[in-house]
Amino acid sequence: MYTFSDLSGTSLTLRPEGTAGVVRAYIEHSLHMKAPVWRLFYRGPMFRYERPQKGRYRQFYQIGVEVLGDEGPLVDAELLEMLSSVFSRVGLEGVVFEVNSLGCPVCRGSFRDKLKAFLLDVRDRLCGDCRRRTEKNPLRALDCKNPLCRELTAGAPHIYEHLCEDCRAHFDGFVKGLEGFGVTYRINPRMVRGLDYYTRTAFEAVVDSPRLGTQNTVAAGGRYDGLVKELGGADTPCFGFAIGIERVALLVDAALLREEPLFYLIPLGTEPQKSVQGLACSMRRAGIKTLMELRSGVSLKSAMKRADRLGVTYVLIVGEDELKEGVVTLRNMKDGTQKRLSVDNLVEELKEYLP
Ligand code: HAM
């Protein structure tokens, strides 16, 4: 948690994630009375007091999706399919969905005891963190990155083999759902999540890339069927995930991001100056990124120099001649090619140049 005192000595904690806030809003506004199932999303900055490294920051951005009121398992699979299609739309390749079930409080409890007994046998050789985890939260020991701990826990029991009948049927339904939607997955029986509210389905979307190093999870989530009740609401099954924007950005090639072109209007003369003002307004209203040369009486050369410095994609030149003929000259700043466009139809024609 990122906690600090403000100037009046009040202790403040910045939100580490969005799920708990969504659940609070759901309860506070009695959303379950208004519709049986809610499908919500959010995006924004989150804060965690972590040791910063590549792909891991103290302030980072998430896009989160939560479905409240549907016990799945098909909705779990559907949301992974949605995530997979988001990744392919931004050109992110090589994402592997690692999936597991963390069971329910009933089967997890007995699994925890079995795992604890296993860990106690090797306790003295585990790292300090895992020794503490053995007592407090033995499941987290399965997630330890320390090579010796991984070796010592290689033969640890798998929760998957200890699921109760309902949880097993849920997991099987989830996996079948993934197959139905055509989502490739890998069952990882050692995967446990860092947040405590998860039940049943848990997943991580990982990408093996040198650009990310060890922080290779680009999105993660799962089911949290007990959280609404725990925070004072009705018993409500939920599923959700959050995408780590910075990690995705580190992986997606800048070339794949479709940059919007910037247009620069250059009037040459007093009359053109007036007509250019009107053109700028119409272009902006149509959603075209537009700047205009505001200095009066500057030469074409000087205006072009500025356009170049501003990184403009296209220049639109309006001189006295163009004005008479009802046209503008469009110049592509990259390759220097020029063409004339009719003023009457300009905005429509420029839309062709947008991504
Ligand atoms: P989380 O696994 O803690 O889950 O975070 C989701 C994603 O946020 C991670 O997979 C990672 O991409 C990104 N992320 C987390 N911490 C950092 C950091 N320090 N720097 C950069 N990126 C980071 C959650 O937050 C849950 N609320 C997800 C969820 C929604 N579960 C159910 N509904």
Side-chain angles (χ1 to χ4, degrees):
M1 290 286 193
Y2 207 126
T3 302
F4 57 91
S5 298
D6 73 3
L7 289 179
S8 64
T10 308
S11 174
L12 293 182
T13 296
L14 303 177
R15 62 176 182 191
E17 55 114 42
T19 309
V22 167
V23 168
R24 256 196 312 276
Y26 177 83
I27 298 168
E28 207 171 301
H29 299 280
S30 302
L31 293 188
H32 69 289
M33 310 276 276
K34 297 174 185 149
V37 178
W38 284 82
R39 293 174 164 246
L40 307 170
F41 80 95
Y42 51 89
R43 60 180 174 188
M46 308 293 162
F47 305 84
R48 298 183 189 178
Y49 197 76
E50 319 226 50
R51 194 167 48 83
Q53 52 181 284
K54 191 155 59 165
R56 187 188 219 180
Y57 314 105
R58 288 184 172 174
Q59 175 175 355
F60 59 97
Y61 286 76
Q62 283 187 342
I63 295 178
V65 169
E66 316 286 353
V67 177
L68 300 99
D70 191 323
E71 63 187 341
L74 217 48
V75 72
D76 310 20
E78 187 192 32
L79 260 67
L80 261 69
E81 197 285 317
M82 179 171 109
L83 187 54
S84 160
S85 91
V86 168
F87 286 149
S88 69
R89 273 205 242 168
V90 297
L92 183 58
E93 286 169 357
V95 184
V96 175
F97 288 99
E98 298 205 341
V99 303
N100 194 17
S101 174
L102 301 178
C104 61
V106 178
C107 53
R108 192 173 356 178
S110 66
F111 171 70
R112 196 195 307 249
D113 295 342
K114 285 196 186 83
L115 182 62
K116 190 170 168 183
F118 176 93
L119 294 173
L120 282 172
D121 276 349
V122 291
R123 188 180 185 279
D124 295 345
R125 292 158 67 206
L126 292 171
C127 73
D129 281 344
C130 282
R131 262 180 257 155
R132 267 192 304 278
R133 288 170 183 147
T134 302
E135 296 305 327
K136 280 184 138 179
N137 192 353
L139 266 78
R140 289 301 303 277
L142 295 175
D143 204 23
C144 184
K145 302 281 180 279
N146 180 311
L148 181 60
C149 292
R150 291 193 82 81
E151 201 184 309
L152 289 168
T153 57
H158 288 166
I159 187 160
Y160 182 62
E161 287 145 15
H162 293 85
L163 295 178
C164 64
E165 226 171 274
D166 286 352
C167 287
R168 175 171 278 268
H170 194 279
F171 188 62
D172 291 346
F174 167 55
V175 164
K176 273 206 195 92
L178 289 177
E179 283 160 10
F181 283 118
V183 177
T184 349
Y185 63 91
R186 185 161 71 200
I187 296 178
N188 177 358
R190 294 178 68 96
M191 196 244 297
V192 292
R193 306 274 303 117
L195 296 155
D196 287 334
Y197 49 61
Y198 289 110
T199 52
R200 294 190 168 172
T201 313
F203 84 92
E204 287 182 355
V206 295
V207 179
D208 191 12
S209 160
R211 292 202 207 172
L212 284 185
T214 54
Q215 302 304 310
N216 63 351
T217 309
V218 288
R223 199 151 263 293
Y224 47 100
D225 292 342
L227 189 61
V228 177
K229 195 163 182 201
E230 195 180 322
L231 296 184
D235 215 351
T236 312
C238 305
F239 181 90
F241 66 76
I243 306 174
I245 301 300
E246 288 78 3
R247 293 187 192 176
V248 172
L250 280 170
L251 290 168
V252 174
D253 277 331
L256 286 168
L257 298 173
R258 287 174 301 173
E259 274 277 323
E260 266 186 67
L262 174 61
F263 290 83
Y264 197 57
L265 283 158
I266 303 179
L268 299 170
T270 325
E271 279 313 304
Q273 171 99 41
K274 278 188 217 145
S275 79
V276 152
Q277 281 174 276
L279 280 179
C281 289
S282 325
M283 286 167 65
R284 287 172 179 157
R285 275 183 205 140
I288 301 171
K289 264 200 324 195
T290 308
L291 283 175
M292 59 182 279
E293 176 56 66
L294 297 172
R295 299 169 298 171
S296 56
V298 292
S299 69
L300 178 60
K301 194 173 159 202
S302 148
M304 289 296 284
K305 215 166 157 187
R306 178 164 285 191
D308 201 38
R309 291 231 310 267
L310 288 168
V312 164
T313 334
Y314 298 99
V315 153
L316 291 161
I317 303 162
V318 187
E320 306 283 355
D321 288 350
E322 276 97 349
L323 204 58
K324 266 187 227 135
E325 291 173 45
V327 295
V328 304
T329 302
L330 173 86
R331 185 182 167 91
N332 182 328
M333 292 296 278
K334 240 194 206 138
D335 58 20
T337 53
Q338 294 199 169
K339 81 193 242 198
R340 295 187 139 204
L341 301 174
S342 141
V343 172
D344 293 341
N345 213 10
L346 188 65
V347 169
E348 278 317 303
E349 292 227 32
L350 291 182
K351 282 187 183 162
E352 301 279 315
Y353 291 78
L354 303 184

